[in-house]
Amino acid sequence: MAAALSVEEKKKRKRALILQAAVKLFSENGFAETPIAAIAKEAGVSFGTVFTYFETKETLFHSAILEPLEEIKPYFYEIEERYSGNPMEIISEMIHCHVELFSKRKDFLRLIQQVLARPDRYPDLFQELDDFVTVFIDRIVPLIIQGQKRGLFYQESPPLIAQSYLSLINGMRLTFVDEYTNLFWMDMRIQALRLFGPVSNGEGTKR
Amino acid sequence: MAAALSVEEKKKRKRALILQAAVKLFSENGFAETPIAAIAKEAGVSFGTVFTYFETKETLFHSAILEPLEEIKPYFYEIEERYSGNPMEIISEMIHCHVELFSKRKDFLRLIQQVLARPDRYPDLFQELDDFVTVFIDRIVPLIIQGQKRGLFYQESPPLIAQSYLSLINGMRLTFVDEYTNLFWMDMRIQALRLFGPVSNGEGTKR
Amino acid sequence: MAAALSVEEKKKRKRALILQAAVKLFSENGFAETPIAAIAKEAGVSFGTVFTYFETKETLFHSAILEPLEEIKPYFYEIEERYSGNPMEIISEMIHCHVELFSKRKDFLRLIQQVLARPDRYPDLFQELDDFVTVFIDRIVPLIIQGQKRGLFYQESPPLIAQSYLSLINGMRLTFVDEYTNLFWMDMRIQALRLFGPVSNGEGTKR
Amino acid sequence: MAAALSVEEKKKRKRALILQAAVKLFSENGFAETPIAAIAKEAGVSFGTVFTYFETKETLFHSAILEPLEEIKPYFYEIEERYSGNPMEIISEMIHCHVELFSKRKDFLRLIQQVLARPDRYPDLFQELDDFVTVFIDRIVPLIIQGQKRGLFYQESPPLIAQSYLSLINGMRLTFVDEYTNLFWMDMRIQALRLFGPVSNGEGTKR
DNA sequence: TATGAATGAGTGTTCATTCAT
DNA sequence: GATGAATGAACACTCATTCAT
């Protein structure tokens, strides 16, 4: 009874295949060292087809960054909607979620790092990521202030706390490439939590 | 009294010029998007001369990574020799020194990140950096244990603490590209310190 | 009363639209630098439709040359049928007609020139144009001879006179691209006439 | 005793070889349909070498037009310096010289025609050619006026006469591609002369 | 018949490496 | 040792043609 895929759906699927291949290969080999031909091969489409869906290699790179970025935004933007409990618990849940996200999206993280490492090369993309950081900070600062008022968090500048957190999770993917045992990531979460406030024993791991 | 430079010294100087240009341009443009011709121009030497000093582009990249790495190794390896006080004070001084180092060697840091982001592309270099991390951890773990015994540091796995620290300083350069006011970096140091143990008010900033 | 167009007529109309677009774009951009897609767009039909009416790009180019050529043939072939008076008057009328034709069919002329400029590239089309020239000469030579007998034309080889005339009108379109005021073309006609025989004052402009 | 060619001379020679090949192939095949590889082959140099001497294909095309144009300029600009006699004789000599030039530079002429046929595609080159025409007219107009005063030339607008002449010689190369017997060109010269003024029998052929 | 997605051959350009001077 | 011309492999992008719908 499975209805035949509509033409429109087939096209979407093909586009997604190419984008997926692009994310994989760009992240592994970098923008400049990834030939379009390799992406086509990985996606199982012909060379020319890539250009049917993406005007230029640059466009494809942009899409490979921005579309997954959209997907992860909710996990950074909708903090109080998504996570529950007192501020410390909310942050703890958030970290849990982010670490899981990042441990699973190795390839996408690497793409991000390529852009961050060369702002002049990718000004538009860099701007997008910068905006992403700005919005995240805007959203999390009230929560940090709330936690500070309750004596749960350090009396540090809230944006600084937020940025140190971003630095840590960003740097994690760089430093530990393949050795992510569950245990490792779980413990890392405690360290992340410590950038916000004092952690009583075992607190970071309760979920 | 300034004697004319010996031939040997002239050669060293030329080599250094090229290497310096390579660090600058590789870090700005990446390996693949930096033509040897651009490096020659930046260094003020002729195109062919680059190949007199470095067999291939790859070799030049290796040297651009490894030679500065040697220079910064002491600041990571000779912890107890360099820094003084109780474990917390030692770590605090070390962080101070590292942050200063990293805030000054923007270009070199970016090179490192390029290698870390693509272990399969640069296996030898990645290995070197991995060894660097391993040695740093080996050197700092006893100090952390000591601090834990004295109740200054968290009872967390010492290598984990070390790695979280590395992640943070690595990620810092990625996240905040140009906005490093002194204040910012100073405050960041407190956050770094919080990965090791509880920080009494103002502790991270006393030097 | 206007009956709906028959299917047959619709097809003809579509074919004509494509051909018209082809003449325009081929003449502006040359054969090689005109994509079929551009022709489709200009004609307001879909890309694939072009291939429904013309087997290949080459075929379309042939048609874009040959079909308008058929249209102008009468003005070159049916000299004595079309124009009246003594030989000088006939030639004068003919020139008038040709110049008007050429000043209006800028695009078609350019197509012709593309073929003439590259006989080896377009052997078939070149042959057609060469035949056209041959027939024109065959048709006009008797008239020239007649004019020579009457002392109206120079005692030059009649084919040479004919060819010099063709050269002049062909070259005109090349040399003066946009500046064809009526006056200019009118005066040019006198110069054309002078290739045939002496022109009394104002003779070329009397119609 | 033939001294070895200096490096500088060798380079000039190689550049000339490439340019010559470019003129030949561009004129035969058009800009778009001439691959650089073909030019390299024709010139007997490697593919990459072409780019050592000419930055882009477009540049090479420009040079292929403009450098020969410089060579022929004197024959159009230095009219009274180069040719002697009364105005009619000067023009006659000039025509002789131009026809000879054009009959020998078939390839270059075709290049010119490519540019004239597509002013929008080659605006810079077209401008150059337009300037060339303008200067030629400026130079020849006084001579025409002089001839008119002496009753040798028609009382036609001098620039018009000049332009009709240019049209004729331009069109000649288009119309008669390969059939230039000496006789043909010689007779054509008389026809050209007739655009200026009445020609007494055999006048055009006396040199 | 009309459409436009799929294909892959073709080509301008870049650039690391070699090597003659 | 220093130079920069010569080389050709590699790659992004275009586009005529095919063909499934």
Side-chain angles (χ1 to χ4, degrees):
Chain A
M1 301 307 284
L5 289 171
S6 78
V7 171
E8 212 55 35
E9 269 168 335
K10 269 190 196 165
K11 278 171 61 180
K12 265 189 191 163
R13 202 160 291 210
K14 205 166 238 180
R15 190 181 182 281
L17 270 177
I18 295 170
L19 201 61
Q20 198 177 317
V23 169
K24 179 176 190 298
L25 295 184
F26 279 145
S27 75
E28 280 171 10
N29 310 319
F31 177 77
E33 293 180 70
T34 305
I36 293 270
I39 294 171
K41 198 175 176 187
E42 173 79 24
V45 302
S46 87
F47 175 70
T49 298
V50 175
F51 289 93
T52 306
Y53 291 89
F54 299 92
E55 227 166 314
T56 65
K57 192 186 181 186
E58 209 87 17
T59 322
L60 177 54
F61 189 64
H62 276 232
S63 301
I65 301 279
L66 296 180
E67 299 189 13
L69 183 66
E70 287 308 311
E71 284 175 35
I72 70 160
K73 273 183 178 174
Y75 301 98
F76 283 80
Y77 286 2
E78 303 164 4
I79 295 165
E80 307 200 37
E81 296 89 324
R82 254 170 205 280
Y83 316 112
S84 58
N86 67 39
M88 181 57 96
E89 285 163 350
I90 290 179
I91 294 295
S92 179
E93 271 192 53
M94 181 194 77
I95 292 172
H96 176 81
C97 176
H98 289 176
V99 165
E100 180 148 323
L101 211 59
F102 278 31
S103 70
K104 282 180 181 161
R105 304 294 299 262
K106 183 170 151 179
D107 47 7
F108 174 55
L109 253 284
R110 283 216 180 137
L111 283 185
I112 301 269
Q113 283 154 3
Q114 287 177 38
V115 175
L116 293 174
R118 299 190 50 204
D120 297 336
R121 172 65 179 80
Y122 309 107
D124 297 354
L125 289 172
F126 184 78
Q127 189 57 52
E128 288 278 350
L129 294 178
D130 208 48
D131 292 348
F132 172 73
V133 168
T134 304
V135 172
F136 170 66
I137 290 176
D138 281 356
R139 300 282 166 95
I140 205 173
V141 156
L143 184 70
I144 293 175
I145 290 172
Q146 210 183 317
Q148 288 174 331
K149 279 182 185 154
R150 295 208 205 170
L152 296 168
F153 294 166
Y154 301 124
Q155 296 298 326
E156 212 63 62
S157 145
L160 178 85
I161 291 176
Q163 289 191 310
S164 67
Y165 168 64
L166 287 177
S167 295
L168 184 68
I169 58 176
N170 239 320
M172 273 176 359
R173 276 258 45 104
L174 273 183
T175 325
F176 321 109
V177 177
D178 284 318
E179 28 177 325
Y180 36 80
T181 57
N182 273 339
L183 196 59
F184 171 81
W185 289 111
M186 193 173 299
D187 290 347
M188 259 305 181
R189 276 153 36 200
I190 304 180
Q191 291 299 85
L193 205 52
R194 289 198 161 114
L195 295 169
F196 291 83
V199 179
S200 64
N201 250 9
E203 179 152 11
T205 59
K206 70 180 167 194
R207 340 177 358 127
Chain B
M1 302 295 288
L5 288 171
S6 74
V7 171
E8 207 56 34
E9 271 169 332
K10 270 189 201 163
K11 279 167 57 180
K12 266 190 192 164
R13 200 158 293 208
K14 214 167 221 178
R15 190 180 182 284
L17 273 175
I18 296 170
L19 202 61
Q20 200 177 315
V23 169
K24 180 175 189 298
L25 296 182
F26 280 144
S27 75
E28 280 171 9
N29 311 319
F31 177 77
E33 292 181 70
T34 303
I36 295 271
I39 294 172
K41 198 176 176 187
E42 173 80 23
V45 303
S46 87
F47 174 68
T49 299
V50 175
F51 288 93
T52 308
Y53 291 90
F54 301 91
E55 221 168 320
T56 67
K57 193 186 181 186
E58 210 84 19
T59 319
L60 177 54
F61 189 65
H62 277 231
S63 301
I65 301 278
L66 296 181
E67 299 190 13
L69 184 64
E70 287 308 311
E71 285 175 33
I72 69 160
K73 273 184 179 173
Y75 302 98
F76 284 80
Y77 286 1
E78 305 164 1
I79 296 165
E80 306 201 38
E81 296 89 324
R82 257 170 202 279
Y83 316 112
S84 58
N86 66 38
M88 181 57 96
E89 286 163 350
I90 289 178
I91 294 294
S92 178
E93 270 192 53
M94 181 195 76
I95 292 172
H96 175 80
C97 176
H98 288 174
V99 165
E100 180 150 322
L101 208 61
F102 278 30
S103 71
K104 283 180 181 160
R105 303 293 298 265
K106 185 170 149 177
D107 49 6
F108 174 55
L109 252 285
R110 284 219 179 136
L111 284 186
I112 300 273
Q113 281 155 4
Q114 286 178 37
V115 176
L116 292 175
R118 300 187 49 204
D120 297 336
R121 173 63 179 79
Y122 308 107
D124 298 354
L125 289 171
F126 184 79
Q127 190 55 52
E128 288 277 350
L129 293 177
D130 208 48
D131 292 349
F132 172 74
V133 168
T134 305
V135 172
F136 169 68
I137 290 175
D138 282 355
R139 298 283 167 94
I140 206 173
V141 157
L143 183 71
I144 293 174
I145 290 172
Q146 212 183 317
Q148 288 174 329
K149 278 182 185 156
R150 295 209 205 169
L152 297 168
F153 294 164
Y154 302 122
Q155 296 300 325
E156 212 64 61
S157 147
L160 177 83
I161 291 176
Q163 288 191 310
S164 69
Y165 169 65
L166 287 178
S167 295
L168 184 68
I169 59 176
N170 239 321
M172 270 175 3
R173 276 257 47 103
L174 273 184
T175 324
F176 321 109
V177 176
D178 283 317
E179 29 177 325
Y180 36 81
T181 60
N182 273 339
L183 196 61
F184 170 81
W185 289 112
M186 193 174 297
D187 290 347
M188 261 306 183
R189 275 153 38 203
I190 304 178
Q191 292 298 86
L193 205 52
R194 289 200 163 111
L195 296 170
F196 291 85
V199 180
S200 63
N201 250 7
E203 178 152 12
T205 61
K206 68 182 168 191
R207 350 178 352 135
Chain C
M1 310 284 289
L5 288 171
S6 75
V7 173
E8 207 55 35
E9 271 169 332
K10 269 189 199 163
K11 278 167 60 177
K12 264 190 192 164
R13 200 159 292 209
K14 213 166 220 180
R15 190 181 182 284
L17 273 175
I18 295 170
L19 202 61
Q20 199 177 317
V23 169
K24 180 176 190 295
L25 295 183
F26 280 144
S27 75
E28 281 171 11
N29 310 318
F31 177 77
E33 293 181 68
T34 303
I36 295 270
I39 294 171
K41 197 176 175 185
E42 173 79 23
V45 303
S46 87
F47 174 69
T49 299
V50 176
F51 288 93
T52 308
Y53 291 90
F54 300 91
E55 218 168 323
T56 67
K57 193 185 181 186
E58 210 85 18
T59 319
L60 176 55
F61 189 65
H62 276 233
S63 302
I65 301 280
L66 296 181
E67 299 189 12
L69 183 64
E70 286 308 311
E71 285 175 33
I72 71 161
K73 272 183 177 173
Y75 302 97
F76 284 81
Y77 285 2
E78 303 164 3
I79 296 166
E80 307 201 37
E81 296 87 325
R82 257 171 202 280
Y83 316 111
S84 58
N86 68 38
M88 182 58 94
E89 286 163 348
I90 289 178
I91 294 292
S92 180
E93 271 190 53
M94 178 194 76
I95 292 172
H96 176 80
C97 175
H98 288 174
V99 165
E100 180 147 321
L101 208 61
F102 278 31
S103 71
K104 284 180 180 162
R105 304 294 297 264
K106 184 169 150 180
D107 48 6
F108 175 56
L109 252 284
R110 284 217 178 138
L111 282 185
I112 300 272
Q113 282 155 2
Q114 287 177 37
V115 175
L116 292 174
R118 300 189 48 204
D120 297 337
R121 171 64 179 81
Y122 309 107
D124 297 353
L125 289 171
F126 183 79
Q127 190 55 53
E128 288 279 349
L129 294 177
D130 208 49
D131 293 349
F132 171 74
V133 169
T134 305
V135 172
F136 170 67
I137 291 176
D138 282 357
R139 300 282 167 92
I140 205 173
V141 156
L143 184 70
I144 294 175
I145 290 172
Q146 210 182 321
Q148 288 174 331
K149 279 185 183 149
R150 296 211 205 164
L152 296 167
F153 295 164
Y154 302 123
Q155 297 298 324
E156 214 63 60
S157 145
L160 178 82
I161 291 176
Q163 288 192 308
S164 68
Y165 168 65
L166 287 178
S167 294
L168 184 67
I169 57 174
N170 238 320
M172 270 175 0
R173 274 257 48 102
L174 273 184
T175 324
F176 322 109
V177 177
D178 284 318
E179 31 176 325
Y180 37 80
T181 59
N182 275 338
L183 197 61
F184 170 83
W185 290 111
M186 194 174 297
D187 290 349
M188 259 306 180
R189 277 153 36 201
I190 304 180
Q191 291 297 88
L193 206 50
R194 287 198 164 114
L195 295 170
F196 292 84
V199 179
S200 63
N201 251 7
E203 177 151 12
T205 61
K206 69 180 165 194
R207 356 175 348 133
Chain D
M1 300 311 284
L5 288 171
S6 78
V7 172
E8 212 55 35
E9 269 168 334
K10 269 189 196 166
K11 278 169 58 179
K12 263 189 194 164
R13 199 158 294 207
K14 202 164 244 183
R15 189 181 182 283
L17 270 176
I18 295 170
L19 201 61
Q20 200 177 316
V23 169
K24 180 176 189 295
L25 295 184
F26 279 144
S27 74
E28 281 172 8
N29 310 320
F31 178 77
E33 293 182 70
T34 304
I36 294 270
I39 294 172
K41 197 174 176 187
E42 173 78 24
V45 303
S46 88
F47 177 68
T49 298
V50 175
F51 289 92
T52 307
Y53 291 89
F54 300 91
E55 228 166 310
T56 64
K57 193 185 181 186
E58 208 86 16
T59 323
L60 177 54
F61 189 65
H62 276 231
S63 300
I65 302 279
L66 296 181
E67 298 188 15
L69 183 65
E70 286 309 309
E71 284 175 34
I72 70 159
K73 272 183 180 174
Y75 301 98
F76 284 79
Y77 286 0
E78 304 165 2
I79 296 166
E80 306 202 37
E81 297 88 323
R82 250 168 208 283
Y83 317 112
S84 57
N86 68 37
M88 183 55 97
E89 286 163 348
I90 289 179
I91 294 294
S92 178
E93 270 192 53
M94 182 194 75
I95 291 171
H96 176 80
C97 175
H98 288 174
V99 165
E100 178 147 328
L101 210 59
F102 278 31
S103 71
K104 283 179 181 163
R105 303 295 297 263
K106 180 171 152 180
D107 47 8
F108 174 55
L109 252 284
R110 284 217 181 137
L111 283 185
I112 301 270
Q113 283 154 1
Q114 287 178 36
V115 175
L116 292 175
R118 300 189 48 204
D120 297 336
R121 173 64 180 80
Y122 308 107
D124 298 353
L125 288 171
F126 184 78
Q127 189 56 52
E128 288 278 350
L129 294 177
D130 207 48
D131 292 348
F132 171 74
V133 168
T134 305
V135 173
F136 170 66
I137 290 176
D138 282 355
R139 300 282 167 93
I140 206 173
V141 156
L143 184 71
I144 294 175
I145 289 172
Q146 210 182 318
Q148 289 174 332
K149 279 182 184 152
R150 295 208 205 168
L152 296 168
F153 294 164
Y154 302 123
Q155 297 299 325
E156 212 62 60
S157 147
L160 179 83
I161 291 177
Q163 288 192 312
S164 67
Y165 169 63
L166 287 178
S167 294
L168 184 66
I169 58 176
N170 238 322
M172 273 177 357
R173 275 258 46 104
L174 273 183
T175 325
F176 320 109
V177 177
D178 284 318
E179 30 177 325
Y180 37 79
T181 58
N182 272 340
L183 194 60
F184 170 81
W185 290 111
M186 193 173 299
D187 290 348
M188 260 303 182
R189 276 152 38 200
I190 304 179
Q191 292 297 88
L193 205 51
R194 289 199 162 114
L195 295 170
F196 291 85
V199 179
S200 65
N201 250 6
E203 177 150 13
T205 61
K206 72 179 166 194
R207 345 178 355 130

